Amino acid sequence: MNINTNYLNLNESYLFSTIASKVREHAQANPAAEVIRLGIGDVTRPLTPAVVEAMQQATAEMAAAASFRGYGDEQGYGFLRQAIAEYYATKGVTLHEDEIFVSDGAKSDLANILDIFAQDNTVLIPNPVYPVYVDVNTMAGRNIVYMHGSADNDFLPMPDDTVQADVIYLCSPNNPTGAVYSKAQLRQWVDYALARDAVILFDSAYEAFVQDDSLPTSIYQVDGAERCAIEFCSLSKTAGFTGTRCGYTVVPHALVRGGVALNKLWLRRQTTKFNGVPYVVQRGAQAVFSPQGLAQAKTDIAYYLENARIIADALEQLGVAFTGGRNAPYVWLQCPGGMNSWAFFDALLEQANVVGTPGAGFGANGEGFFRLTAFGSRENTIEAMRRIAACKLMKT
Ligand code: MLT
Protein backbone atom coordinates (compact mmCIF):
# COMPACT_ATOMS: atom_id res chain seq x y z
CA MET A 1 0.00 0.00 0.00
CA ASN A 2 1.35 3.40 -0.96
CA ILE A 3 -0.19 6.74 -0.09
CA ASN A 4 -0.63 9.50 -2.64
CA THR A 5 2.66 11.25 -1.95
CA ASN A 6 1.50 14.30 -3.91
CA TYR A 7 -0.31 15.26 -0.70
CA LEU A 8 3.09 15.76 0.91
CA ASN A 9 3.69 18.62 -1.52
CA LEU A 10 0.76 20.60 -0.11
CA ASN A 11 0.89 23.18 2.67
CA GLU A 12 0.11 21.47 5.95
CA SER A 13 -3.48 22.73 6.00
CA TYR A 14 -5.92 24.50 3.68
CA LEU A 15 -5.56 28.29 3.84
CA PHE A 16 -8.88 28.96 5.55
CA SER A 17 -8.35 26.09 8.04
CA THR A 18 -5.01 27.63 9.02
CA ILE A 19 -6.68 31.00 9.56
CA ALA A 20 -9.54 29.47 11.56
CA SER A 21 -7.13 27.70 13.89
CA LYS A 22 -5.02 30.86 14.40
CA VAL A 23 -8.19 32.79 15.25
CA ARG A 24 -9.34 30.04 17.65
CA GLU A 25 -5.98 30.19 19.46
CA HIS A 26 -6.18 33.98 19.66
CA ALA A 27 -9.75 33.84 21.05
CA GLN A 28 -8.72 31.27 23.66
CA ALA A 29 -5.79 33.41 24.79
CA ASN A 30 -7.94 36.59 24.79
CA PRO A 31 -11.42 35.49 25.90
CA ALA A 32 -12.69 39.07 26.27
CA ALA A 33 -11.65 40.07 22.75
CA GLU A 34 -14.46 40.77 20.31
CA VAL A 35 -12.97 39.40 17.15
CA ILE A 36 -14.35 40.63 13.81
CA ARG A 37 -13.96 38.14 10.98
CA LEU A 38 -13.33 39.60 7.54
CA GLY A 39 -11.20 36.63 6.53
CA ILE A 40 -13.02 33.81 4.75
CA GLY A 41 -15.59 35.11 2.30
CA ASP A 42 -18.58 33.79 4.19
CA VAL A 43 -21.88 35.60 3.83
CA THR A 44 -23.79 37.05 6.79
CA ARG A 45 -27.13 38.07 5.24
CA PRO A 46 -29.81 35.39 5.75
CA LEU A 47 -31.50 33.54 2.90
CA THR A 48 -33.99 35.81 1.16
CA PRO A 49 -37.78 35.46 1.68
CA ALA A 50 -38.30 34.07 -1.86
CA VAL A 51 -35.78 31.28 -1.19
CA VAL A 52 -37.07 30.48 2.29
CA GLU A 53 -40.66 30.28 1.09
CA ALA A 54 -39.73 27.94 -1.77
CA MET A 55 -37.73 25.70 0.57
CA GLN A 56 -40.56 25.59 3.11
CA GLN A 57 -42.99 24.57 0.41
CA ALA A 58 -40.58 21.92 -0.86
CA THR A 59 -40.14 20.57 2.66
CA ALA A 60 -43.91 20.22 2.97
CA GLU A 61 -43.94 18.32 -0.35
CA MET A 62 -41.30 15.94 0.98
CA ALA A 63 -43.53 15.26 4.00
CA ALA A 64 -46.42 13.88 1.92
CA ALA A 65 -46.29 10.50 0.13
CA ALA A 66 -47.97 11.92 -2.98
CA SER A 67 -45.35 14.62 -3.51
CA PHE A 68 -42.29 12.99 -1.89
CA ARG A 69 -39.19 12.72 -4.10
CA GLY A 70 -36.26 10.33 -3.84
CA TYR A 71 -33.26 10.44 -6.18
CA GLY A 72 -33.45 13.51 -8.39
CA ASP A 73 -32.77 14.01 -12.10
CA GLU A 74 -29.17 13.23 -13.06
CA GLN A 75 -28.00 16.74 -13.96
CA GLY A 76 -30.29 18.49 -11.51
CA TYR A 77 -34.03 19.04 -11.75
CA GLY A 78 -35.30 20.41 -15.06
CA PHE A 79 -37.05 23.29 -13.29
CA LEU A 80 -33.72 24.58 -11.97
CA ARG A 81 -31.75 24.02 -15.16
CA GLN A 82 -34.45 25.86 -17.07
CA ALA A 83 -34.26 28.78 -14.60
CA ILE A 84 -30.46 28.90 -15.03
CA ALA A 85 -30.78 28.81 -18.84
CA GLU A 86 -33.24 31.72 -18.65
CA TYR A 87 -30.79 33.63 -16.44
CA TYR A 88 -28.07 33.12 -19.06
CA ALA A 89 -30.47 34.30 -21.76
CA THR A 90 -30.58 37.68 -19.96
CA LYS A 91 -26.79 37.83 -20.49
CA GLY A 92 -27.28 37.13 -24.22
CA VAL A 93 -26.03 33.54 -23.82
CA THR A 94 -28.07 30.61 -25.16
CA LEU A 95 -27.65 27.35 -23.26
CA HIS A 96 -29.37 24.03 -23.69
CA GLU A 97 -30.62 22.60 -20.43
CA ASP A 98 -28.45 19.53 -20.84
CA GLU A 99 -25.35 21.73 -20.96
CA ILE A 100 -26.05 22.68 -17.32
CA PHE A 101 -25.10 20.45 -14.37
CA VAL A 102 -26.41 21.38 -10.92
CA SER A 103 -23.80 20.90 -8.21
CA ASP A 104 -23.23 21.46 -4.52
CA GLY A 105 -21.03 24.49 -5.29
CA ALA A 106 -18.22 25.67 -7.53
CA LYS A 107 -15.38 24.48 -5.30
CA SER A 108 -16.15 20.77 -5.65
CA ASP A 109 -16.63 20.94 -9.41
CA LEU A 110 -13.49 23.04 -9.97
CA ALA A 111 -11.64 20.14 -8.37
CA ASN A 112 -13.68 17.20 -9.67
CA ILE A 113 -13.52 18.34 -13.29
CA LEU A 114 -9.90 17.17 -13.33
CA ASP A 115 -11.22 13.59 -13.50
CA ILE A 116 -11.99 14.07 -17.18
CA PHE A 117 -8.52 15.35 -18.14
CA ALA A 118 -5.38 13.29 -18.71
CA GLN A 119 -2.76 13.24 -16.01
CA ASP A 120 -0.02 14.66 -18.23
CA ASN A 121 -1.81 17.92 -19.02
CA THR A 122 -0.04 21.14 -18.09
CA VAL A 123 -2.24 23.42 -16.02
CA LEU A 124 -1.93 27.21 -16.16
CA ILE A 125 -2.99 28.98 -12.97
CA PRO A 126 -2.98 32.70 -12.13
CA ASN A 127 -0.96 33.81 -9.13
CA PRO A 128 -2.46 35.09 -6.85
CA VAL A 129 -5.77 33.20 -7.01
CA TYR A 130 -8.25 31.04 -5.05
CA PRO A 131 -5.95 28.38 -3.53
CA VAL A 132 -8.17 25.42 -4.44
CA TYR A 133 -6.95 25.40 -8.07
CA VAL A 134 -3.35 24.88 -7.00
CA ASP A 135 -4.13 22.45 -4.19
CA VAL A 136 -6.29 20.10 -6.26
CA ASN A 137 -3.75 19.97 -9.09
CA THR A 138 -0.95 19.39 -6.60
CA MET A 139 -2.94 16.51 -5.09
CA ALA A 140 -3.23 15.01 -8.55
CA GLY A 141 0.50 15.51 -9.26
CA ARG A 142 -0.15 17.66 -12.32
CA ASN A 143 2.40 20.00 -13.83
CA ILE A 144 1.44 23.57 -12.86
CA VAL A 145 2.66 26.68 -14.65
CA TYR A 146 1.89 30.03 -13.07
CA MET A 147 0.89 33.25 -14.78
CA HIS A 148 1.80 36.29 -12.80
CA GLY A 149 -0.61 38.90 -11.57
CA SER A 150 0.77 42.12 -10.11
CA ALA A 151 -0.12 45.76 -9.75
CA ASP A 152 1.58 46.24 -13.16
CA ASN A 153 -1.05 44.20 -15.00
CA ASP A 154 -3.89 45.12 -12.59
CA PHE A 155 -3.74 41.51 -11.34
CA LEU A 156 -5.14 40.36 -14.69
CA PRO A 157 -2.48 38.15 -16.31
CA MET A 158 -2.82 37.79 -20.07
CA PRO A 159 -1.85 34.88 -22.34
CA ASP A 160 1.79 34.42 -23.25
CA ASP A 161 2.26 32.72 -26.62
CA THR A 162 5.52 31.16 -25.49
CA VAL A 163 3.72 29.22 -22.74
CA GLN A 164 2.06 25.93 -23.66
CA ALA A 165 -0.91 25.01 -21.50
CA ASP A 166 -3.67 22.42 -21.78
CA VAL A 167 -5.97 23.46 -18.95
CA ILE A 168 -6.30 27.10 -17.87
CA TYR A 169 -8.00 28.35 -14.72
CA LEU A 170 -9.45 31.88 -14.86
CA CYS A 171 -11.39 33.57 -12.07
CA SER A 172 -13.29 36.77 -12.88
CA PRO A 173 -14.26 38.73 -10.83
CA ASN A 174 -11.09 37.54 -9.23
CA ASN A 175 -10.73 36.05 -5.81
CA PRO A 176 -8.74 37.54 -4.06
CA THR A 177 -7.96 40.75 -5.98
CA GLY A 178 -11.45 41.76 -7.13
CA ALA A 179 -10.06 42.43 -10.63
CA VAL A 180 -12.40 41.73 -13.56
CA TYR A 181 -11.35 40.80 -17.11
CA SER A 182 -12.82 42.93 -19.89
CA LYS A 183 -14.47 41.30 -22.90
CA ALA A 184 -11.43 42.19 -25.04
CA GLN A 185 -9.13 40.47 -22.53
CA LEU A 186 -11.31 37.34 -22.42
CA ARG A 187 -11.31 37.40 -26.24
CA GLN A 188 -7.50 37.01 -26.08
CA TRP A 189 -7.83 34.10 -23.65
CA VAL A 190 -10.41 32.37 -25.84
CA ASP A 191 -8.21 32.83 -28.94
CA TYR A 192 -5.20 31.47 -27.04
CA ALA A 193 -7.15 28.41 -25.88
CA LEU A 194 -8.66 27.74 -29.32
CA ALA A 195 -5.26 27.99 -30.98
CA ARG A 196 -3.89 25.29 -28.65
CA ASP A 197 -6.95 23.09 -28.16
CA ALA A 198 -6.68 24.01 -24.49
CA VAL A 199 -9.67 24.15 -22.14
CA ILE A 200 -10.44 27.17 -19.95
CA LEU A 201 -12.01 26.48 -16.56
CA PHE A 202 -13.80 29.76 -15.91
CA ASP A 203 -14.81 30.42 -12.30
CA SER A 204 -17.59 33.01 -12.30
CA ALA A 205 -18.64 32.58 -8.65
CA TYR A 206 -18.65 36.36 -8.15
CA GLU A 207 -20.38 37.34 -11.42
CA ALA A 208 -23.43 38.77 -9.62
CA PHE A 209 -21.23 41.50 -8.09
CA VAL A 210 -20.30 43.04 -11.44
CA GLN A 211 -21.88 46.49 -11.61
CA ASP A 212 -20.17 47.85 -14.68
CA ASP A 213 -22.37 46.86 -17.66
CA SER A 214 -19.44 46.82 -20.05
CA LEU A 215 -17.75 43.96 -18.13
CA PRO A 216 -18.55 40.32 -18.97
CA THR A 217 -20.29 38.12 -16.40
CA SER A 218 -19.89 34.90 -18.38
CA ILE A 219 -17.09 33.72 -20.66
CA TYR A 220 -19.77 32.65 -23.14
CA GLN A 221 -20.35 36.33 -23.87
CA VAL A 222 -17.23 35.94 -26.00
CA ASP A 223 -17.80 34.14 -29.33
CA GLY A 224 -16.04 30.82 -29.59
CA ALA A 225 -15.86 30.28 -25.80
CA GLU A 226 -18.41 27.47 -26.16
CA ARG A 227 -15.67 25.58 -28.03
CA CYS A 228 -13.01 25.99 -25.35
CA ALA A 229 -14.50 26.79 -21.93
CA ILE A 230 -16.30 25.21 -19.02
CA GLU A 231 -17.96 27.68 -16.63
CA PHE A 232 -18.45 27.17 -12.90
CA CYS A 233 -20.80 29.23 -10.81
CA SER A 234 -22.31 29.11 -7.38
CA LEU A 235 -25.16 30.60 -5.42
CA SER A 236 -22.93 30.83 -2.32
CA LYS A 237 -22.14 34.51 -2.74
CA THR A 238 -24.98 35.42 -5.13
CA ALA A 239 -27.72 34.35 -2.77
CA GLY A 240 -26.21 33.43 0.60
CA PHE A 241 -25.91 29.68 -0.11
CA THR A 242 -22.51 29.07 1.58
CA GLY A 243 -24.23 26.78 4.08
CA THR A 244 -27.13 25.70 1.87
CA ARG A 245 -24.87 24.51 -1.01
CA CYS A 246 -25.88 24.84 -4.63
CA GLY A 247 -24.02 25.78 -7.78
CA TYR A 248 -23.83 24.81 -11.42
CA THR A 249 -21.32 23.94 -14.10
CA VAL A 250 -21.82 24.57 -17.80
CA VAL A 251 -20.23 22.16 -20.27
CA PRO A 252 -21.26 23.17 -23.81
CA HIS A 253 -21.95 20.49 -26.41
CA ALA A 254 -19.60 22.30 -28.78
CA LEU A 255 -16.65 21.61 -26.49
CA VAL A 256 -14.97 18.59 -28.09
CA ARG A 257 -11.43 17.34 -27.53
CA GLY A 258 -9.85 14.24 -29.05
CA GLY A 259 -13.15 13.68 -30.91
CA VAL A 260 -15.06 13.37 -27.62
CA ALA A 261 -17.67 15.78 -26.25
CA LEU A 262 -16.57 16.82 -22.73
CA ASN A 263 -20.25 17.14 -21.81
CA LYS A 264 -20.59 13.35 -22.22
CA LEU A 265 -17.51 12.67 -20.08
CA TRP A 266 -18.70 14.99 -17.33
CA LEU A 267 -22.17 13.41 -17.38
CA ARG A 268 -20.55 9.99 -17.08
CA ARG A 269 -18.40 11.20 -14.19
CA GLN A 270 -21.24 12.90 -12.35
CA THR A 271 -23.75 10.07 -12.71
CA THR A 272 -21.17 7.68 -11.28
CA LYS A 273 -19.74 9.77 -8.44
CA PHE A 274 -22.44 12.30 -7.50
CA ASN A 275 -26.05 11.86 -6.47
CA GLY A 276 -27.17 15.44 -6.77
CA VAL A 277 -28.28 18.35 -4.65
CA PRO A 278 -31.27 17.93 -2.28
CA TYR A 279 -34.69 18.64 -3.80
CA VAL A 280 -35.47 21.26 -1.15
CA VAL A 281 -32.24 23.13 -1.94
CA GLN A 282 -32.88 22.99 -5.70
CA ARG A 283 -36.31 24.53 -5.15
CA GLY A 284 -34.64 27.29 -3.11
CA ALA A 285 -32.11 27.78 -5.92
CA GLN A 286 -34.90 27.99 -8.50
CA ALA A 287 -36.44 30.78 -6.43
CA VAL A 288 -33.17 32.77 -6.64
CA PHE A 289 -33.81 33.14 -10.38
CA SER A 290 -37.44 34.26 -10.05
CA PRO A 291 -38.03 38.01 -10.56
CA GLN A 292 -38.64 38.39 -6.83
CA GLY A 293 -35.61 36.24 -5.93
CA LEU A 294 -33.30 38.17 -8.26
CA ALA A 295 -34.48 41.50 -6.83
CA GLN A 296 -33.93 40.28 -3.26
CA ALA A 297 -30.47 38.91 -4.07
CA LYS A 298 -29.60 42.23 -5.69
CA THR A 299 -30.50 44.05 -2.47
CA ASP A 300 -28.09 41.87 -0.48
CA ILE A 301 -25.36 42.30 -3.09
CA ALA A 302 -25.82 46.08 -2.87
CA TYR A 303 -25.49 45.78 0.92
CA TYR A 304 -22.16 43.95 0.59
CA LEU A 305 -20.89 46.37 -2.05
CA GLU A 306 -21.69 49.24 0.31
CA ASN A 307 -19.49 47.46 2.89
CA ALA A 308 -16.77 47.29 0.24
CA ARG A 309 -17.13 51.04 -0.33
CA ILE A 310 -16.78 51.66 3.43
CA ILE A 311 -13.59 49.57 3.49
CA ALA A 312 -12.26 51.34 0.39
CA ASP A 313 -13.02 54.81 1.77
CA ALA A 314 -11.25 54.02 5.04
CA LEU A 315 -8.18 52.73 3.18
CA GLU A 316 -8.14 55.79 0.97
CA GLN A 317 -8.10 58.03 4.03
CA LEU A 318 -5.24 55.99 5.44
CA GLY A 319 -3.34 56.34 2.18
CA VAL A 320 -3.24 52.57 1.69
CA ALA A 321 -3.14 51.33 -1.92
CA PHE A 322 -5.82 48.78 -2.83
CA THR A 323 -7.77 47.22 -5.73
CA GLY A 324 -11.18 45.57 -5.97
CA GLY A 325 -14.35 46.31 -4.08
CA ARG A 326 -16.25 47.92 -6.97
CA ASN A 327 -17.32 44.88 -8.99
CA ALA A 328 -16.39 42.28 -6.40
CA PRO A 329 -16.87 41.64 -2.68
CA TYR A 330 -13.14 41.66 -1.93
CA VAL A 331 -10.74 44.52 -1.24
CA TRP A 332 -7.08 43.71 -1.89
CA LEU A 333 -4.70 46.03 -0.11
CA GLN A 334 -0.99 46.55 0.17
CA CYS A 335 0.32 45.77 3.66
CA PRO A 336 1.61 48.97 5.29
CA GLY A 337 5.33 49.59 5.68
CA GLY A 338 6.24 46.73 3.34
CA MET A 339 5.15 44.13 5.95
CA ASN A 340 4.80 40.55 4.85
CA SER A 341 1.24 39.37 4.72
CA TRP A 342 1.27 36.77 7.53
CA ALA A 343 3.06 39.25 9.83
CA PHE A 344 0.35 41.81 9.01
CA PHE A 345 -2.33 39.17 9.69
CA ASP A 346 -0.85 38.41 13.13
CA ALA A 347 -0.38 42.06 14.03
CA LEU A 348 -3.88 43.05 12.97
CA LEU A 349 -5.39 40.21 14.96
CA GLU A 350 -3.29 41.15 17.98
CA GLN A 351 -3.75 44.92 17.85
CA ALA A 352 -7.27 45.27 16.40
CA ASN A 353 -8.93 41.86 16.82
CA VAL A 354 -9.70 41.96 13.11
CA VAL A 355 -9.23 38.90 10.88
CA GLY A 356 -8.37 39.20 7.20
CA THR A 357 -6.66 36.87 4.74
CA PRO A 358 -2.91 37.11 4.07
CA GLY A 359 -2.21 37.60 0.39
CA ALA A 360 0.57 34.99 0.46
CA GLY A 361 -2.15 32.36 1.04
CA PHE A 362 -3.26 32.97 -2.56
CA GLY A 363 0.18 32.42 -4.06
CA ALA A 364 3.68 33.86 -3.93
CA ASN A 365 2.58 36.99 -5.82
CA GLY A 366 0.14 37.76 -3.00
CA GLU A 367 3.04 38.33 -0.63
CA GLY A 368 2.87 41.86 0.79
CA PHE A 369 -0.89 42.04 0.18
CA PHE A 370 -3.95 41.37 2.31
CA ARG A 371 -7.62 40.63 1.55
CA LEU A 372 -10.63 42.00 3.43
CA THR A 373 -14.09 40.69 2.62
CA ALA A 374 -17.19 42.83 2.32
CA PHE A 375 -19.39 39.96 3.53
CA GLY A 376 -19.52 41.09 7.17
CA SER A 377 -22.41 42.92 8.78
CA ARG A 378 -22.49 46.70 8.30
CA GLU A 379 -21.84 47.25 11.98
CA ASN A 380 -18.81 44.94 12.02
CA THR A 381 -17.41 46.41 8.82
CA ILE A 382 -17.58 49.96 10.19
CA GLU A 383 -16.11 48.87 13.52
CA ALA A 384 -13.33 46.86 11.85
CA MET A 385 -12.27 49.86 9.75
CA ARG A 386 -12.40 52.13 12.80
CA ARG A 387 -10.10 49.73 14.65
CA ILE A 388 -7.78 49.33 11.67
CA ALA A 389 -7.50 53.13 11.30
CA ALA A 390 -6.66 53.44 14.99
CA CYS A 391 -3.98 50.75 14.84
CA LYS A 392 -0.31 51.71 15.39
CA LEU A 393 0.47 49.30 12.62
CA MET A 394 -1.17 51.50 9.99
CA LYS A 395 1.11 54.37 10.82
CA THR A 396 4.27 52.54 9.84
C1 MLT B 1 -12.89 32.70 0.13
O1 MLT B 1 -12.89 33.27 1.21
O2 MLT B 1 -11.98 32.80 -0.68
C2 MLT B 1 -14.07 31.87 -0.23
O3 MLT B 1 -15.05 31.96 0.73
C3 MLT B 1 -13.70 30.48 -0.34
C4 MLT B 1 -14.75 29.69 -1.03
O4 MLT B 1 -15.66 30.22 -1.66
O5 MLT B 1 -14.61 28.47 -0.98
Side-chain angles (χ1 to χ4, degrees):
M1 201 296 291
N2 294 311
I3 61 160
N4 177 353
T5 51
N6 294 319
Y7 275 67
L8 307 180
N9 298 326
L10 294 164
N11 290 333
E12 197 170 311
S13 69
Y14 179 54
L15 173 64
F16 294 106
S17 313
T18 308
I19 292 174
S21 81
K22 274 180 173 269
V23 174
R24 248 190 328 270
E25 276 166 32
H26 173 79
Q28 270 159 14
N30 304 276
E34 285 179 17
V35 176
I36 297 178
R37 291 173 171 77
L38 302 182
I40 190 165
D42 197 2
V43 292
T44 51
R45 307 286 301 152
L47 293 175
T48 59
V51 169
V52 172
E53 201 181 301
M55 289 175 71
Q56 281 168 338
Q57 204 175 317
T59 305
E61 281 175 49
M62 293 296 272
S67 49
F68 169 79
R69 308 211 187 197
Y71 291 122
D73 295 347
E74 284 179 344
Q75 290 184 221
Y77 283 104
F79 60 74
L80 176 53
R81 287 185 289 125
Q82 188 186 340
I84 295 167
E86 284 166 10
Y87 180 60
Y88 270 81
T90 67
K91 299 170 185 264
V93 173
T94 304
L95 294 182
H96 295 282
E97 280 173 37
D98 58 2
E99 294 177 308
I100 300 166
F101 296 76
V102 173
S103 72
D104 67 348
K107 178 179 177 171
S108 343
D109 277 7
L110 282 157
N112 294 335
I113 197 75
L114 296 177
D115 275 11
I116 67 169
F117 298 117
Q119 186 64 28
D120 58 1
N121 282 312
T122 293
V123 182
L124 187 58
I125 301 184
N127 179 352
V129 88
Y130 185 39
V132 167
Y133 313 158
V134 171
D135 283 2
V136 296
N137 280 285
T138 303
M139 287 170 180
R142 280 201 172 75
N143 180 33
I144 300 175
V145 175
Y146 292 99
M147 45 175 158
H148 298 289
S150 67
D152 292 340
N153 58 13
D154 296 324
F155 293 99
L156 293 169
M158 295 304 297
D160 174 348
D161 281 333
T162 65
V163 173
Q164 178 55 37
D166 305 303
V167 175
I168 303 156
Y169 280 86
L170 295 180
C171 180
S172 179
N174 184 271
N175 178 9
T177 66
V180 188
Y181 280 114
S182 69
K183 237 180 230 175
Q185 289 172 319
L186 286 186
R187 167 86 268 148
Q188 289 186 45
W189 275 114
V190 167
D191 289 344
Y192 172 87
L194 288 172
R196 284 162 182 74
D197 267 353
V199 174
I200 296 174
L201 305 179
F202 190 76
D203 181 352
S204 66
Y206 300 95
E207 57 87 24
F209 289 82
V210 172
Q211 303 298 299
D212 179 343
D213 288 343
S214 70
L215 293 172
T217 56
S218 163
I219 195 162
Y220 303 122
Q221 288 167 329
V222 174
D223 286 342
E226 69 285 357
R227 287 181 285 119
C228 67
I230 296 177
E231 184 158 295
F232 302 81
C233 199
S234 160
L235 299 184
S236 285
K237 316 295 158 90
T238 304
F241 271 52
T242 52
T244 305
R245 309 304 315 152
C246 193
Y248 50 89
T249 293
V250 178
V251 190
H253 291 306
L255 179 51
V256 176
R257 290 291 178 274
V260 179
L262 298 196
N263 181 290
K264 275 211 161 77
L265 293 188
W266 184 240
L267 177 66
R268 188 69 181 82
R269 191 267 173 212
Q270 288 299 80
T271 46
T272 306
K273 295 196 183 183
F274 183 59
N275 257 341
V277 174
Y279 172 67
V280 173
V281 171
Q282 292 196 50
R283 280 292 185 199
Q286 178 192 19
V288 171
F289 297 103
S290 68
Q292 220 185 1
L294 285 170
Q296 291 169 359
K298 208 171 162 184
T299 305
D300 284 344
I301 286 166
Y303 175 96
Y304 293 132
L305 287 174
E306 175 62 11
N307 285 348
R309 192 195 57 76
I310 290 166
I311 296 171
D313 282 357
L315 293 174
E316 229 155 55
Q317 282 190 7
L318 286 165
V320 172
F322 65 91
T323 61
R326 273 205 306 275
N327 293 293
Y330 297 123
V331 178
W332 178 249
L333 59 111
Q334 199 141 26
C335 300
M339 272 179 104
N340 94 38
S341 55
W342 277 107
F344 184 63
F345 170 91
D346 289 334
L348 203 60
L349 186 57
E350 202 52 48
Q351 294 181 24
N353 289 304
V354 172
V355 184
T357 308
F362 298 99
N365 287 8
E367 184 53 278
F369 290 87
F370 198 73
R371 192 193 77 177
L372 290 172
T373 103
F375 286 120
S377 67
R378 175 80 80 251
E379 195 187 4
N380 277 351
T381 304
I382 292 171
E383 173 59 12
M385 296 320 291
R386 189 197 63 75
R387 289 188 202 171
I388 290 175
C391 225
K392 285 204 298 289
L393 181 63
M394 301 308 292
K395 292 161 183 122
T396 50

